[in-house]
Amino acid sequence: MLILTDDQGYGDCTSYWNTDLQTPTMDAVAKAGIRFTQFRVNPLCSPTRSSVMTGLYSVEIGMWRGASDAEGDPAAKAANPKKAARRAEKAKGGKAADTDDEPNRERRIGDEFQLLPQYLKKAGYATGAFGKWHLGNDPKSVPNARGFDEFVGFLGGAHPYMLTANSRVQHNGQPLTNPNPPYTTDLFADRAIAFIKANRDRPFFCYVPFNAVHGPLRREGVDKDSAKPEWLAYYEQRGVAQPRRDYDAVMTHADSRMADILKTLRELGLEQNTLVIVHSDNGGILHTYPSNNGPLRGGKGDTYEGGIRVPAMMRWPGVIPAGTVSNADAAHFDIFATVLDAAGVGVPAKNGRFPLRGVSLLPHAKSAGRIPLPDRYLFWDLYGDCGALHGPWKLVGQISNHHGNFARATEEAAKAKFELYNLQDDLGEKNNLADQRPDIYADLKQRHLEWIRAFVK
């Protein structure tokens, strides 16, 4: 079982930070299994989800930013940090670093790549997804075309939490008219529970990508709550002021429904046979909503740690020792191999034309962290926000929006001056050591250039 939260910051989980946002279910999963303190993703929804589903870098498979079809979603645009910054700059009379006009470069997972549910379905697993898709809405990209037997959710980047007859939620490609219950969080949890019960006698893969805690939410200038009244009351009693109250209430609502899903596994006698993975798809938004990324710099859209380091935990009773805490550099594309490994399905050496980038986290988790992950370099590019990581050393840089033109990106990145941080000594990325450690800087910069140059067409 794989559960994703949406835009949940590193400091928005009580297992990770002293926060007013209560996440008892996520905390319980971490306590019963393994909690990763250095789990990293992409700084945006679609790229992370594409890596989870394929085991590859998102830029390798065509998702160098959000899915093409999501661009018409007003709510998704409102939550895009880069576009918001450009709009603000233009409003002040300044000249934005780049424009919103992009060449017609399709952003979807290419047909040559197989998604995680496609591998599992071939192996006899029932496959169900309940929540936010955000990996394309053309006929070849929708969930039912990419390996899911059952899908209840929405295809774009954002959706109001309160459902109406005009909502964009669908069931296996058809509009879900008069959806009930009236909140997305409850609908997705209820349908996931029904799927588990219906497939209790066969192997299944249940994917629950909640839209919590993505906008729309209460914020400056928008005095409208998205959370259920009972959770708003809970946080009002705890003295949490708006707009943080609405934010907290939406997230804890999702955490409480995770508990109901896990309770179903226990009641059906499936708990011992089920690997449960929970993690966020990127860091919290700082410019619009009252997210909390704890001690980390930056947020969604950034390749600073606040954009890419997120809460992540796994539980498998009797397999993963309880109470394990790992500081290994685990990453989003490791989920692909981890799930296949747990399912007893052979992990492919390649997906499409690219070698698999992720590795199974199970040997590491089963050994309570004693078996290390491979020594590896990790890289990021989110249409101009760049990053590279090796051990404690982190390279961070920014070039203009290359719109998927990697020849231009390579040329500009080669000339750009990036920043270098030692995360072991400087978790908040405040002390730039690029000039003090030119050897490490040169190594990471050159490797990042070689990585991005591989995508030049």
Side-chain angles (χ1 to χ4, degrees):
M1 166 165 286
L2 174 59
I3 301 174
L4 255 61
T5 58
D6 198 345
D7 293 356
Q8 181 187 13
Y10 194 84
D12 281 328
C13 181
T14 41
S15 298
Y16 287 81
W17 195 243
N18 183 16
T19 172
D20 58 5
L21 201 166
Q22 303 299 299
T23 54
T25 306
M26 295 182 71
D27 303 340
V29 172
K31 187 176 181 179
I34 184 170
R35 177 171 67 90
F36 292 94
T37 64
Q38 296 188 145
F39 187 93
R40 294 181 177 89
V41 296
N42 280 310
L44 198 64
C45 308
S46 294
T48 290
R49 293 159 196 265
S50 64
S51 290
V52 168
M53 287 291 159
T54 62
L56 301 172
Y57 281 109
S58 59
V59 290
E60 292 177 321
I61 52 183
M63 201 72 74
W64 52 270
R65 61 165 297 173
S68 298
D69 54 85
E71 296 307 301
D73 186 335
K77 284 185 177 181
N80 186 305
K82 286 196 167 185
K83 287 192 174 181
R86 290 199 294 270
R87 285 195 297 270
E89 188 172 358
K90 289 176 182 177
K92 294 177 182 177
K95 183 178 180 181
D98 50 81
T99 71
D100 291 338
D101 301 322
E102 298 192 9
N104 185 24
R105 291 191 177 90
E106 189 177 39
R107 297 185 302 279
R108 60 183 293 273
I109 299 176
D111 296 334
E112 69 176 287
F113 305 107
Q114 296 288 297
L115 271 60
L116 182 57
Q118 292 175 284
Y119 284 94
L120 293 168
K121 188 173 181 178
K122 291 176 183 177
Y125 275 69
T127 54
F130 309 94
K132 168 179 168 177
W133 180 239
H134 208 195
L135 290 176
N137 65 4
D138 64 273
K140 290 184 177 181
S141 297
V142 295
N144 297 110
R146 289 295 187 129
F148 282 108
D149 301 317
E150 183 85 1
F151 173 68
V152 175
F154 60 95
L155 299 176
H159 195 288
Y161 290 88
M162 176 66 80
L163 294 165
T164 67
N166 297 321
S167 75
R168 300 187 302 278
V169 172
Q170 61 174 249
H171 178 211
N172 291 343
Q174 298 301 314
L176 189 63
T177 57
N178 299 316
N180 188 50
Y183 283 88
T184 55
T185 299
D186 291 325
L187 176 68
F188 302 151
D190 287 354
R191 292 303 182 102
I193 289 170
F195 172 81
I196 292 170
K197 289 180 177 178
N199 293 283
R200 61 189 298 178
D201 296 323
R202 62 176 296 193
F204 63 81
F205 172 57
C206 185
Y207 174 47
V208 188
F210 286 113
N211 57 318
V213 65
H214 195 294
L217 300 165
R218 180 185 280 264
R219 60 192 185 277
E220 184 179 353
V222 179
D223 297 326
K224 181 180 180 181
D225 292 318
S226 287
K228 290 184 75 171
E230 52 263 47
W231 287 110
L232 287 166
Y234 172 82
Y235 277 105
E236 183 176 17
Q237 292 170 2
R238 297 179 69 90
V240 179
Q242 292 286 20
R244 177 71 176 178
R245 183 190 306 162
D246 188 44
Y247 183 98
D248 287 5
V250 165
M251 189 62 242
T252 301
H253 180 195
D255 185 88
S256 73
R257 293 315 314 269
M258 291 183 209
D260 295 330
I261 296 171
L262 300 184
K263 179 182 177 183
T264 300
L265 294 175
R266 184 170 62 254
E267 291 176 343
L268 295 177
L270 301 174
E271 191 173 51
Q272 302 292 319
N273 296 326
T274 306
L275 170 65
V276 175
I277 303 172
V278 186
H279 72 85
S280 176
D281 65 349
N282 50 249
I285 301 176
L286 299 180
H287 74 279
T288 303
Y289 302 118
S291 303
N292 183 353
N293 291 320
L296 309 180
R297 179 178 176 180
K300 180 177 181 178
D302 297 326
T303 48
Y304 291 112
E305 290 293 278
I308 62 175
R309 188 190 293 214
V310 297
M313 56 280 298
M314 294 170 28
R315 184 196 81 179
W316 193 350
V319 177
I320 298 175
T324 300
V325 178
S326 169
N327 62 0
D329 290 320
H332 46 9
F333 46 42
D334 294 329
I335 299 301
F336 176 88
T338 302
V339 172
L340 291 180
D341 188 12
V345 178
V347 178
K350 298 175 66 176
N351 194 349
R353 64 186 182 278
F354 293 106
L356 209 66
R357 305 303 180 182
V359 299
S360 173
L361 299 174
L362 279 185
H364 177 73
K366 288 179 179 179
S367 69
R370 288 187 294 274
I371 296 177
L373 296 184
D375 180 53
R376 56 186 177 174
Y377 287 76
L378 300 175
F379 303 103
W380 287 266
D381 173 81
L382 181 68
Y383 53 102
D385 275 289
C386 307
L389 176 82
H390 183 237
W393 293 101
K394 170 92 173 290
L395 188 78
V396 182
Q398 188 173 45
I399 59 177
S400 62
N401 186 344
H402 51 68
H403 304 298
N405 183 335
F406 288 101
R408 188 179 106 193
T410 302
E411 181 178 343
E412 188 173 341
K415 300 175 183 177
K417 180 67 174 179
F418 288 176
E419 301 162 11
L420 179 69
Y421 299 100
N422 184 330
L423 297 179
Q424 184 172 305
D425 302 328
D426 180 24
L427 182 59
E429 294 170 289
K430 298 176 182 178
N431 185 23
N432 180 9
L433 301 176
D435 292 334
Q436 289 92 323
R437 295 303 305 265
D439 53 336
I440 295 173
Y441 177 89
D443 177 56
L444 285 172
K445 182 77 180 291
Q446 183 59 36
R447 288 176 186 269
H448 184 269
L449 284 173
E450 291 173 358
W451 174 74
I452 202 170
R453 189 177 290 120
F455 310 125
V456 176
K457 294 182 179 179

